[in-house]
Amino acid sequence: MASVNIKLYFKSKLKEANEMAAVSIHSYIEEKTNESRDIIDNIYTNKVLYTEILYLMENGYNKHIEYKMNKLFESQDNKYNGFENYFNSCLLRDAGITGISIYSSKQVEAFVYSLNCGVTFPKDSYVIKSLEKWNESFESIRILPSHNAHYLSNPKNVFSMVYIVKERFTSNNLGFIVIDYAVDGIKSKLPISAKGYHVEIAVFTPQGTSIYVSSGKLEYQHLFSDLKNNNTSSVIHKNNMIYTMTSGNMGIITVAVLPNQYVLSHSSVFTKTIFLIACIFIVAILLFTAFSINRFSSRIASLVHGIKIIKQGNLSYRIDTAKSGDELSEIAVSFNGMCEDLKNYIDRAYMSEINQKNAQIKELQAQINPHFLYNTLESIRMRVLAGENKEAGDMIYLLASYYRSTVKGKMVIGIWEEIKHAKMYVELHNIKSTYMVFVEFHTDEELSDYGILKHTLQPLIENYICHGINWEKDDNQLVISVYKKEKDIFISLEDNGNGIAKEKLDDIKETLERGSKKTQNGIGIKNVHDRTVLFFGDGYGLTIKSSAGQGTSITIRIPAIPKEEMEVYVQSFHSG
């Protein structure tokens, strides 16, 4: 049943395309017929045009030239709008007109006017033979079937509208005016839908002569004979779908033919296409269902995975929420909100602990090197008592400069300033101590404006002086290097001193890694490490390598942040 309905629907579409083709071609022929009548009517009603054409027919082309020149000289404004100007306007107005010819009964040649020429040509034998059979008493206009326009340089098929020119008073036949139209104009009017359905067109004169045939596959002459007595416009003739239209003015018959084999083949193709589309639609539904189930399962798996991750303590993880607004999305949104509230609560508790640590840090900073201060003051007193006033003055200056930076409220300074403080510390030590300490600094000037926590180097240098120097050697040396790698800055301190025994080194590492208070070893190192980790997070701080008798290597890792930005960051950290 579906197949039958499809075929009926398709035949109705074919019939519609067939009728549209016939109507389009018929309208075009009617349009050209009416246009040619208007051209002739304008000639008959315009005395100047009609008189000039009669003169040309009576006297020939050369006499006509003299006639036209005389009219031009007689004109006051030296203008003369003859029939040639009128023919030119007709050609420009309608590109389908290839030429307009004047055939005189008295002249051997015809005057032909087209956009390419306006001269005399031998009369077209085809036109002459066609006009010899014309019964003038019954017709004033005749249409000539497709033929070659002999006056064009490039061959082109035309069909012609022919009008008799008669003398006004005697009604004698003076000749004919022939208006040629390009056959290509008929072809261009065939609708695209008709071309797709292989609709074929035939146009007949009332006598049955073919004016235009779109294809030679059908015997159109027989078709005309079979249909001329049929008053029905739409018929099935020899299994072909036929639609005809007849002009009321000239009796021209337009026939649209849709061959039966194309009807059957297109119907079959259309039926197969419908079934194919139906199959595709079913497959699409199945695929969509499978996709929906898989997507639903994937979302459930994502939800379970997110819960597992959050269960492990990663409260920053958020479950993906789809935009569908279904129950799973609501569960994910609610769960994320719960995690956010829990994270905020933990952050508040953490910040409270941070504030306590800040107070502890400030306390530690205020107590940095109190014994160093006492020892230095004692050294100054001894210098004064011994009369070494210059050295005592130098020590007082260095000590004042050093502690001026210590009591300042800033916790962040530039790397170059931290190195300067470290150098002052070493110089103070060398003045007050019997044993000289040699420290070598290597840094890139481009890194000088990056920020660093104040008193990062001094505790480590002090640790080297107190525990690292082998006083039995005379080549003790500490090398401090500052360099940038990717987004971080590294500060390495390498000495060739005593080194650290393995058990003691393990104790220091445990203190750094776990915050253990198990040992008192490396308190200065732990102070620097804890402050760095506290402010910048895991991944930053100190790493230490050492072997007994082989020296020690300490590396500090901090983020590469300009001093001003680090100050803002540390300030916000303190403010909670």
Side-chain angles (χ1 to χ4, degrees):
M1 186 65 182
S3 177
V4 173
N5 290 334
I6 290 171
K7 288 181 179 180
L8 290 176
Y9 169 78
F10 188 72
K11 283 187 177 181
S12 68
K13 298 298 290 183
L14 291 175
K15 181 181 178 182
E16 181 182 342
N18 204 34
E19 292 177 1
M20 286 179 59
V23 169
S24 179
I25 300 300
H26 178 77
S27 299
Y28 179 77
I29 298 296
E30 285 278 285
E31 177 188 334
K32 298 310 171 187
T33 302
N34 293 331
E35 181 184 68
S36 63
R37 285 184 185 277
D38 290 340
I39 292 174
I40 299 302
D41 288 343
N42 287 335
I43 292 174
Y44 272 97
T45 56
N46 189 311
K47 183 178 179 181
V48 174
L49 299 179
Y50 182 70
T51 302
E52 185 182 355
I53 291 174
L54 290 183
Y55 188 89
L56 173 64
M57 288 181 166
E58 184 72 26
N59 300 284
Y61 179 70
N62 292 331
K63 289 288 186 181
H64 165 259
I65 296 297
E66 295 179 8
Y67 174 88
K68 188 166 63 172
M69 294 301 295
N70 290 333
K71 290 293 183 181
L72 181 63
F73 292 144
E74 291 173 2
S75 172
Q76 294 181 356
D77 53 0
N78 291 326
K79 290 183 179 179
Y80 176 65
N81 293 322
F83 73 82
E84 290 172 284
N85 290 335
Y86 176 63
F87 285 177
N88 185 62
S89 66
C90 294
L91 291 167
L92 293 175
R93 188 166 56 248
D94 184 357
I97 301 176
T98 62
I100 303 176
S101 305
I102 298 175
Y103 281 68
S104 173
S105 301
K106 296 183 178 182
Q107 305 299 326
V108 177
E109 295 180 322
F111 178 85
V112 181
Y113 195 89
S114 71
L115 291 178
N116 297 323
C117 64
V119 295
T120 57
F121 277 87
K123 292 180 179 180
D124 191 336
S125 59
Y126 175 82
V127 175
I128 296 299
K129 288 180 181 180
S130 299
L131 297 179
E132 287 176 354
K133 304 174 184 178
W134 193 353
N135 188 342
E136 301 172 12
S137 60
F138 296 102
E139 299 171 311
S140 60
I141 179 175
R142 187 166 186 174
I143 184 168
L144 300 184
S146 174
H147 60 280
N148 187 43
H150 70 296
Y151 52 84
L152 296 178
S153 56
N154 295 322
K156 180 179 290 188
N157 286 337
V158 298
F159 65 95
S160 305
M161 302 288 183
V162 183
Y163 293 86
I164 299 175
V165 179
K166 296 183 178 182
E167 207 280 324
R168 281 184 174 176
F169 301 106
T170 64
S171 297
N172 292 328
N173 185 358
L174 300 178
F176 306 92
I177 295 180
V178 181
I179 304 175
D180 296 328
Y181 290 92
V183 172
D184 289 342
I186 300 178
K187 297 178 183 178
S188 66
K189 293 300 177 180
L190 190 64
I192 296 176
S193 59
K195 294 178 181 178
Y197 292 135
H198 300 279
V199 175
E200 299 178 1
I201 296 294
V203 182
F204 299 104
T205 65
Q207 295 77 25
T209 306
S210 299
I211 297 174
Y212 169 74
V213 177
S214 63
S215 173
K217 295 180 180 179
L218 296 177
E219 297 180 0
Y220 288 105
Q221 205 63 41
H222 293 234
L223 182 64
F224 175 80
S225 302
D226 294 339
L227 295 176
K228 67 179 180 179
N229 296 321
N230 193 322
N231 296 322
T232 306
S233 59
S234 181
V235 296
I236 301 297
H237 179 74
K238 294 182 179 180
N239 293 326
N240 299 315
M241 189 179 291
I242 308 294
Y243 189 83
T244 62
M245 295 190 72
T246 304
S247 170
N249 294 328
M250 298 183 62
I252 297 174
I253 300 173
T254 303
V255 182
V257 183
L258 188 58
N260 182 60
Q261 63 267 30
Y262 292 118
V263 175
L264 295 177
S265 63
H266 277 81
S267 177
S268 175
V269 170
F270 191 75
T271 303
K272 292 178 181 178
T273 303
I274 291 296
F275 279 112
L276 179 61
I277 293 173
C279 292
I280 293 174
F281 186 72
I282 292 172
V283 172
I285 291 177
L286 294 176
L287 290 176
F288 177 77
T289 303
F291 172 76
S292 299
I293 294 173
N294 183 66
R295 183 171 178 269
F296 189 78
S297 175
S298 176
R299 289 178 60 197
I300 291 178
S302 175
L303 188 63
V304 173
H305 176 70
I307 292 173
K308 288 181 178 179
I309 292 178
I310 293 172
K311 183 180 177 180
Q312 294 172 359
N314 184 4
L315 296 178
S316 298
Y317 184 83
R318 293 293 177 266
I319 299 172
D320 184 31
T321 57
K323 297 181 180 179
S324 56
D326 56 10
E327 290 79 1
L328 289 179
S329 297
E330 292 180 4
I331 292 173
V333 170
S334 300
F335 196 85
N336 288 341
M338 181 186 68
C339 292
E340 185 67 26
D341 293 341
L342 182 59
K343 183 176 182 298
N344 290 337
Y345 174 79
I346 293 175
D347 286 345
R348 287 195 296 272
Y350 177 73
M351 289 308 301
S352 176
E353 183 179 351
I354 290 297
N355 290 333
Q356 294 178 4
K357 282 189 173 291
N358 283 337
Q360 182 181 1
I361 288 172
K362 290 179 180 178
E363 180 181 357
L364 288 173
Q365 277 193 264
Q367 296 176 359
I368 288 179
N369 295 330
H371 62 280
F372 174 75
L373 174 62
Y374 302 148
N375 292 339
T376 304
L377 290 175
E378 178 65 20
S379 297
I380 293 173
R381 187 180 73 84
M382 295 299 295
R383 293 288 194 282
V384 172
L385 291 176
E388 299 175 359
N389 294 332
K390 183 179 183 307
E391 291 185 0
D394 291 341
M395 291 180 67
I396 292 172
Y397 172 76
L398 288 172
L399 184 64
S401 299
Y402 178 78
Y403 274 93
R404 184 181 298 113
S405 67
T406 301
V407 298
K408 286 183 179 178
K410 292 183 179 181
M411 296 187 66
V412 176
I413 61 176
I415 289 178
W416 65 271
E417 192 174 355
E418 177 68 9
I419 291 175
K420 178 181 176 183
H421 295 162
K423 288 180 178 179
M424 285 194 295
Y425 175 81
V426 172
E427 189 173 353
L428 271 172
H429 177 275
N430 287 338
I431 292 176
K432 73 181 182 66
S433 177
T434 306
Y435 302 100
M436 299 291 289
V437 174
F438 299 98
V439 180
E440 185 177 341
F441 292 88
H442 298 286
T443 183
D444 189 343
E445 291 185 2
E446 294 181 357
L447 304 179
S448 60
D449 289 331
Y450 282 95
I452 189 172
L453 295 177
K454 185 168 61 177
H455 295 310
T456 295
L457 293 179
Q458 182 271 328
L460 302 181
I461 296 174
E462 181 181 2
N463 186 76
Y464 163 70
I465 293 173
C466 295
H467 306 289
I469 294 179
N470 184 352
W471 300 109
E472 296 179 0
K473 297 169 59 176
D474 57 1
D475 61 345
N476 287 291
Q477 187 177 29
L478 174 64
V479 178
I480 299 177
S481 302
V482 183
Y483 58 93
K484 183 174 179 291
K485 185 177 181 181
E486 295 180 352
K487 296 183 179 181
D488 294 326
I489 289 177
F490 295 84
I491 305 172
S492 71
L493 297 88
E494 296 185 1
D495 66 64
N496 58 351
N498 291 320
I500 305 173
K502 183 178 184 305
E503 182 179 349
K504 187 176 182 181
L505 179 64
D506 292 340
D507 191 20
I508 294 174
K509 286 183 178 180
E510 184 179 358
T511 300
L512 296 180
E513 292 175 3
R514 300 183 181 181
S516 173
K517 297 182 180 179
K518 174 180 174 181
T519 177
Q520 295 299 314
N521 292 328
I523 294 177
I525 295 175
K526 184 178 186 304
N527 187 309
V528 174
H529 177 74
D530 287 349
R531 284 193 300 146
T532 305
V533 173
L534 184 63
F535 284 114
F536 305 122
D538 294 335
Y540 294 102
L542 272 68
T543 56
I544 183 169
K545 297 179 182 179
S546 184
S547 298
Q550 301 296 320
T552 302
S553 173
I554 298 176
T555 301
I556 309 168
R557 181 182 181 184
I558 61 174
I561 304 175
K563 184 182 72 172
E564 292 77 8
E565 295 182 20
M566 188 177 287
E567 286 178 348
V568 174
Y569 169 74
V570 171
Q571 184 65 31
S572 65
F573 188 92
H574 270 284
S575 63

mmCIF file of all heavy atoms in Angstrom, residues 54 75 80-81 149-150 163 168 188 226 233 254 265 278 323 358 381 452 458 468-469 494 501 505 543:
data_model
loop_
_atom_site.group_PDB
_atom_site.id
_atom_site.type_symbol
_atom_site.label_atom_id
_atom_site.label_comp_id
_atom_site.label_asym_id
_atom_site.label_seq_id
_atom_site.Cartn_x
_atom_site.Cartn_y
_atom_site.Cartn_z
ATOM 1 N N LEU A 54 7.825 51.696 -46.985
ATOM 2 C CA LEU A 54 7.205 51.567 -48.311
ATOM 3 C C LEU A 54 8.148 52.088 -49.393
ATOM 4 O O LEU A 54 8.242 51.509 -50.489
ATOM 5 C CB LEU A 54 5.890 52.355 -48.351
ATOM 6 C CG LEU A 54 4.728 51.797 -47.516
ATOM 7 C CD1 LEU A 54 3.483 52.654 -47.715
ATOM 8 C CD2 LEU A 54 4.439 50.358 -47.899
ATOM 9 N N SER A 75 15.696 68.328 -42.063
ATOM 10 C CA SER A 75 15.409 68.508 -40.638
ATOM 11 C C SER A 75 16.149 69.726 -40.108
ATOM 12 O O SER A 75 17.307 69.965 -40.436
ATOM 13 C CB SER A 75 15.837 67.256 -39.865
ATOM 14 O OG SER A 75 15.732 67.471 -38.485
ATOM 15 N N TYR A 80 17.126 62.575 -37.886
ATOM 16 C CA TYR A 80 16.056 61.863 -38.578
ATOM 17 C C TYR A 80 15.953 60.461 -37.975
ATOM 18 O O TYR A 80 16.876 59.660 -38.075
ATOM 19 C CB TYR A 80 16.348 61.745 -40.076
ATOM 20 C CG TYR A 80 15.302 60.919 -40.806
ATOM 21 C CD1 TYR A 80 13.983 61.365 -40.898
ATOM 22 C CD2 TYR A 80 15.642 59.694 -41.364
ATOM 23 C CE1 TYR A 80 13.029 60.604 -41.557
ATOM 24 C CE2 TYR A 80 14.688 58.918 -42.021
ATOM 25 C CZ TYR A 80 13.382 59.392 -42.115
ATOM 26 O OH TYR A 80 12.435 58.633 -42.749
ATOM 27 N N ASN A 81 14.857 60.209 -37.302
ATOM 28 C CA ASN A 81 14.634 58.924 -36.645
ATOM 29 C C ASN A 81 13.825 58.023 -37.567
ATOM 30 O O ASN A 81 12.591 57.990 -37.514
ATOM 31 C CB ASN A 81 13.910 59.111 -35.307
ATOM 32 C CG ASN A 81 14.766 59.840 -34.299
ATOM 33 O OD1 ASN A 81 15.973 59.616 -34.241
ATOM 34 N ND2 ASN A 81 14.162 60.724 -33.510
ATOM 35 N N ALA A 149 19.553 31.253 -39.524
ATOM 36 C CA ALA A 149 19.584 32.663 -39.919
ATOM 37 C C ALA A 149 20.786 32.881 -40.835
ATOM 38 O O ALA A 149 21.929 32.856 -40.372
ATOM 39 C CB ALA A 149 19.651 33.557 -38.686
ATOM 40 N N HIS A 150 20.532 33.120 -42.142
ATOM 41 C CA HIS A 150 21.618 33.138 -43.117
ATOM 42 C C HIS A 150 22.496 34.387 -43.029
ATOM 43 O O HIS A 150 23.600 34.416 -43.549
ATOM 44 C CB HIS A 150 21.046 33.019 -44.536
ATOM 45 C CG HIS A 150 20.302 34.254 -44.969
ATOM 46 N ND1 HIS A 150 19.159 34.694 -44.345
ATOM 47 C CD2 HIS A 150 20.573 35.144 -45.967
ATOM 48 C CE1 HIS A 150 18.727 35.801 -44.937
ATOM 49 N NE2 HIS A 150 19.562 36.093 -45.935
ATOM 50 N N TYR A 163 4.929 39.150 -41.254
ATOM 51 C CA TYR A 163 3.753 40.001 -41.442
ATOM 52 C C TYR A 163 3.734 40.545 -42.871
ATOM 53 O O TYR A 163 4.763 40.941 -43.412
ATOM 54 C CB TYR A 163 3.781 41.171 -40.446
ATOM 55 C CG TYR A 163 3.609 40.744 -39.017
ATOM 56 C CD1 TYR A 163 4.709 40.340 -38.269
ATOM 57 C CD2 TYR A 163 2.348 40.733 -38.428
ATOM 58 C CE1 TYR A 163 4.570 39.932 -36.957
ATOM 59 C CE2 TYR A 163 2.203 40.333 -37.109
ATOM 60 C CZ TYR A 163 3.303 39.931 -36.377
ATOM 61 O OH TYR A 163 3.143 39.534 -35.076
ATOM 62 N N ARG A 168 -1.623 51.158 -48.337
ATOM 63 C CA ARG A 168 -2.771 51.542 -47.524
ATOM 64 C C ARG A 168 -4.064 51.676 -48.333
ATOM 65 O O ARG A 168 -5.134 51.250 -47.898
ATOM 66 C CB ARG A 168 -2.476 52.873 -46.827
ATOM 67 C CG ARG A 168 -1.599 52.714 -45.594
ATOM 68 C CD ARG A 168 -1.429 54.039 -44.893
ATOM 69 N NE ARG A 168 -0.706 53.864 -43.623
ATOM 70 C CZ ARG A 168 -0.350 54.863 -42.842
ATOM 71 N NH1 ARG A 168 -0.616 56.108 -43.197
ATOM 72 N NH2 ARG A 168 0.281 54.627 -41.712
ATOM 73 N N SER A 188 15.818 28.096 -22.998
ATOM 74 C CA SER A 188 16.113 28.693 -21.692
ATOM 75 C C SER A 188 14.889 28.758 -20.789
ATOM 76 O O SER A 188 15.030 28.928 -19.576
ATOM 77 C CB SER A 188 16.684 30.102 -21.873
ATOM 78 O OG SER A 188 15.713 30.970 -22.420
ATOM 79 N N ASP A 226 -1.973 12.581 -33.979
ATOM 80 C CA ASP A 226 -2.811 11.845 -33.035
ATOM 81 C C ASP A 226 -3.545 12.766 -32.073
ATOM 82 O O ASP A 226 -4.624 12.433 -31.572
ATOM 83 C CB ASP A 226 -1.952 10.874 -32.221
ATOM 84 C CG ASP A 226 -1.371 9.765 -33.097
ATOM 85 O OD1 ASP A 226 -1.937 9.523 -34.187
ATOM 86 O OD2 ASP A 226 -0.347 9.172 -32.698
ATOM 87 N N SER A 233 -6.374 18.551 -22.552
ATOM 88 C CA SER A 233 -5.014 19.089 -22.439
ATOM 89 C C SER A 233 -4.043 18.068 -21.868
ATOM 90 O O SER A 233 -2.876 18.046 -22.228
ATOM 91 C CB SER A 233 -5.016 20.343 -21.549
ATOM 92 O OG SER A 233 -5.520 20.019 -20.255
ATOM 93 N N THR A 254 1.683 23.866 -28.164
ATOM 94 C CA THR A 254 2.848 23.491 -27.353
ATOM 95 C C THR A 254 2.549 22.162 -26.675
ATOM 96 O O THR A 254 1.504 22.002 -26.031
ATOM 97 C CB THR A 254 3.141 24.560 -26.294
ATOM 98 O OG1 THR A 254 3.346 25.820 -26.937
ATOM 99 C CG2 THR A 254 4.385 24.194 -25.485
ATOM 100 N N SER A 265 11.047 4.585 -14.128
ATOM 101 C CA SER A 265 12.365 4.542 -13.491
ATOM 102 C C SER A 265 12.446 5.483 -12.301
ATOM 103 O O SER A 265 12.962 5.125 -11.246
ATOM 104 C CB SER A 265 13.458 4.880 -14.508
ATOM 105 O OG SER A 265 13.295 6.203 -14.993
ATOM 106 N N ALA A 278 13.895 5.358 5.316
ATOM 107 C CA ALA A 278 13.253 4.748 6.474
ATOM 108 C C ALA A 278 14.236 3.868 7.234
ATOM 109 O O ALA A 278 14.293 3.893 8.479
ATOM 110 C CB ALA A 278 12.046 3.928 6.019
ATOM 111 N N LYS A 323 24.427 19.989 31.166
ATOM 112 C CA LYS A 323 23.466 21.087 31.051
ATOM 113 C C LYS A 323 22.030 20.594 30.830
ATOM 114 O O LYS A 323 21.141 21.381 30.583
ATOM 115 C CB LYS A 323 23.874 22.007 29.896
ATOM 116 C CG LYS A 323 25.214 22.689 30.102
ATOM 117 C CD LYS A 323 25.541 23.604 28.948
ATOM 118 C CE LYS A 323 26.883 24.293 29.162
ATOM 119 N NZ LYS A 323 27.230 25.181 28.036
ATOM 120 N N ASN A 358 52.026 32.378 61.566
ATOM 121 C CA ASN A 358 52.587 33.700 61.283
ATOM 122 C C ASN A 358 53.137 34.336 62.555
ATOM 123 O O ASN A 358 54.198 34.960 62.553
ATOM 124 C CB ASN A 358 51.518 34.605 60.663
ATOM 125 C CG ASN A 358 51.282 34.273 59.201
ATOM 126 O OD1 ASN A 358 52.151 33.700 58.557
ATOM 127 N ND2 ASN A 358 50.126 34.637 58.681
ATOM 128 N N ARG A 381 83.699 45.317 72.279
ATOM 129 C CA ARG A 381 84.209 45.782 73.597
ATOM 130 C C ARG A 381 85.701 45.454 73.753
ATOM 131 O O ARG A 381 86.480 46.272 74.211
ATOM 132 C CB ARG A 381 83.397 45.112 74.717
ATOM 133 C CG ARG A 381 83.722 45.650 76.105
ATOM 134 C CD ARG A 381 82.880 44.947 77.135
ATOM 135 N NE ARG A 381 83.340 43.578 77.329
ATOM 136 C CZ ARG A 381 84.349 43.242 78.137
ATOM 137 N NH1 ARG A 381 85.021 44.146 78.807
ATOM 138 N NH2 ARG A 381 84.700 41.984 78.272
ATOM 139 N N ILE A 452 62.678 37.436 47.461
ATOM 140 C CA ILE A 452 63.101 36.314 48.303
ATOM 141 C C ILE A 452 62.735 36.663 49.744
ATOM 142 O O ILE A 452 62.679 37.850 50.126
ATOM 143 C CB ILE A 452 64.622 36.045 48.170
ATOM 144 C CG1 ILE A 452 64.995 34.753 48.864
ATOM 145 C CG2 ILE A 452 65.424 37.220 48.712
ATOM 146 C CD1 ILE A 452 66.434 34.323 48.608
ATOM 147 N N GLN A 458 71.445 33.951 55.506
ATOM 148 C CA GLN A 458 72.260 34.136 56.720
ATOM 149 C C GLN A 458 72.244 32.913 57.644
ATOM 150 O O GLN A 458 73.308 32.456 58.089
ATOM 151 C CB GLN A 458 71.801 35.393 57.463
ATOM 152 C CG GLN A 458 72.614 35.715 58.706
ATOM 153 C CD GLN A 458 72.047 35.027 59.949
ATOM 154 O OE1 GLN A 458 70.833 34.835 60.038
ATOM 155 N NE2 GLN A 458 72.924 34.625 60.869
ATOM 156 N N GLY A 468 80.103 23.373 59.554
ATOM 157 C CA GLY A 468 80.623 22.836 58.311
ATOM 158 C C GLY A 468 82.117 23.010 58.107
ATOM 159 O O GLY A 468 82.741 22.231 57.379
ATOM 160 N N ILE A 469 82.717 24.047 58.702
ATOM 161 C CA ILE A 469 84.129 24.322 58.436
ATOM 162 C C ILE A 469 85.031 23.312 59.144
ATOM 163 O O ILE A 469 84.857 23.009 60.327
ATOM 164 C CB ILE A 469 84.481 25.749 58.884
ATOM 165 C CG1 ILE A 469 83.727 26.766 58.020
ATOM 166 C CG2 ILE A 469 85.982 26.003 58.773
ATOM 167 C CD1 ILE A 469 83.997 28.201 58.422
ATOM 168 N N GLU A 494 77.349 25.274 48.349
ATOM 169 C CA GLU A 494 78.215 24.095 48.329
ATOM 170 C C GLU A 494 79.521 24.413 49.072
ATOM 171 O O GLU A 494 80.171 25.430 48.766
ATOM 172 C CB GLU A 494 78.511 23.670 46.892
ATOM 173 C CG GLU A 494 77.272 23.231 46.136
ATOM 174 C CD GLU A 494 77.620 22.701 44.755
ATOM 175 O OE1 GLU A 494 78.827 22.673 44.416
ATOM 176 O OE2 GLU A 494 76.685 22.324 44.016
ATOM 177 N N ALA A 501 77.390 13.249 58.887
ATOM 178 C CA ALA A 501 77.288 11.790 58.966
ATOM 179 C C ALA A 501 75.891 11.357 58.545
ATOM 180 O O ALA A 501 74.911 12.104 58.690
ATOM 181 C CB ALA A 501 77.595 11.322 60.385
ATOM 182 N N LEU A 505 72.368 13.176 59.073
ATOM 183 C CA LEU A 505 71.726 13.712 57.872
ATOM 184 C C LEU A 505 70.286 13.209 57.761
ATOM 185 O O LEU A 505 69.364 13.983 57.424
ATOM 186 C CB LEU A 505 72.524 13.319 56.632
ATOM 187 C CG LEU A 505 71.959 13.800 55.278
ATOM 188 C CD1 LEU A 505 71.979 15.331 55.226
ATOM 189 C CD2 LEU A 505 72.779 13.217 54.120
ATOM 190 N N THR A 543 66.569 21.248 49.926
ATOM 191 C CA THR A 543 67.030 19.870 49.819
ATOM 192 C C THR A 543 68.510 19.868 50.202
ATOM 193 O O THR A 543 69.235 20.822 49.897
ATOM 194 C CB THR A 543 66.860 19.308 48.394
ATOM 195 O OG1 THR A 543 67.535 20.168 47.472
ATOM 196 C CG2 THR A 543 65.394 19.209 48.014
#
